[in-house]
Amino acid sequence: MEEKMYPVNNEVKIQGTAGSEAKIDLFGPDVDNNGIADKIEELRARNLLVNDATLTLYVNQSIDTTVAPFRLFLYKSDESNALNPLLTQIKDATSEASFGGIDGFLDRDASGKKEKYTFKITDYVSDILSREINDSPTLKLKVYNPSDLPSPTIANDTIFRNYSWNANAVTLFNNRVADDTKKAVLKISYTEKTN
């Protein structure tokens, strides 16, 4: 996640009406500067069939969670045109709509505390690794509003309309937290294809 200057830099604050969102970089840097993240190239070379992909973000439970939203939403932001970024749905929001889309609902731990948000992004990750899509736009995370979902009346609605009237807020750990059990996690379950 993008570095922020918070009091402790292992967390990200998400708040609806303030428009506080997180930027998520799933695959890390492009060290060789060829336009494709090095981790994507590494995974593509392994010829993987993606069976399941999830992104899990953990709530900082040491901070007041009474106004933590029941759901967060993940979308794509192509910022190649800084004046007018193209905001679109992640493929799973439309392809898996009848199965709950990308999820993002708040999960609780065994003691009932607000613990984490998990996003189902199997189709999105599969398309990147299979080269069906070659770009890897910035993913953004925000507090969910009902208008975030693709319109059921528009076939293949991919445009994301970013409205924020939900005042709820939550503090999440990023990938730099010392406790490995609370780090942001991208989990890919796969099968290696043979030729």
Side-chain angles (χ1 to χ4, degrees):
M1 292 185 192
E2 179 182 69
E3 293 289 337
K4 300 262 187 183
M5 295 308 295
Y6 293 126
V8 179
N9 201 24
N10 65 354
E11 56 190 32
V12 177
K13 298 175 189 321
I14 309 291
Q15 202 272 337
T17 52
S20 178
E21 300 182 344
K23 287 184 179 182
I24 298 174
D25 179 6
L26 287 180
F27 297 102
D30 174 19
V31 177
D32 59 9
N33 292 319
N34 67 351
I36 301 170
D38 296 346
K39 182 55 83 172
I40 292 174
E41 291 177 308
E42 177 187 323
L43 293 170
R44 283 178 174 173
R46 293 180 59 192
N47 201 24
L48 304 176
L49 173 64
V50 176
N51 300 324
D52 187 58
T54 58
L55 173 65
T56 302
L57 303 158
Y58 289 87
V59 174
N60 183 344
Q61 295 173 330
S62 67
I63 295 176
D64 182 12
T65 62
T66 55
V67 294
F70 77 97
R71 188 177 190 184
L72 296 178
F73 199 77
L74 200 58
Y75 67 96
K76 297 186 297 183
S77 178
D78 180 352
E79 298 174 353
S80 56
N81 179 350
L83 296 175
N84 192 17
L86 178 62
L87 307 179
T88 57
Q89 298 284 349
I90 292 174
K91 183 176 183 179
D92 300 80
T94 56
S95 65
E96 302 296 326
S98 58
F99 300 106
I102 59 173
D103 196 359
F105 290 99
L106 178 63
D107 292 325
R108 294 177 182 264
D109 63 18
S111 65
K113 290 183 178 179
K114 297 173 182 179
E115 180 184 31
K116 64 185 177 181
Y117 297 88
T118 300
F119 300 89
K120 298 174 185 178
I121 54 174
T122 305
D123 292 342
Y124 176 67
V125 171
S126 179
D127 285 354
I128 290 172
L129 298 186
S130 70
R131 295 178 174 84
E132 188 168 321
I133 57 175
N134 284 315
D135 63 338
S136 183
T138 299
L139 293 182
K140 290 208 171 176
L141 181 66
K142 67 180 289 296
V143 173
Y144 169 81
N145 287 302
S147 61
D148 293 339
L149 297 175
S151 173
T153 60
I154 302 173
N156 298 321
D157 182 21
T158 60
I159 301 301
F160 176 73
R161 296 151 191 90
N162 193 359
Y163 300 109
S164 293
W165 61 79
N166 184 332
N168 290 349
V170 67
T171 301
L172 304 172
F173 289 117
N174 67 15
N175 62 323
R176 298 181 189 276
V177 67
D179 181 354
D180 283 343
T181 65
K182 299 293 182 181
K183 285 185 177 183
V185 176
L186 171 62
K187 181 179 178 183
I188 303 173
S189 300
Y190 60 86
T191 305
E192 291 198 45
K193 296 185 268 185
T194 58
N195 292 336

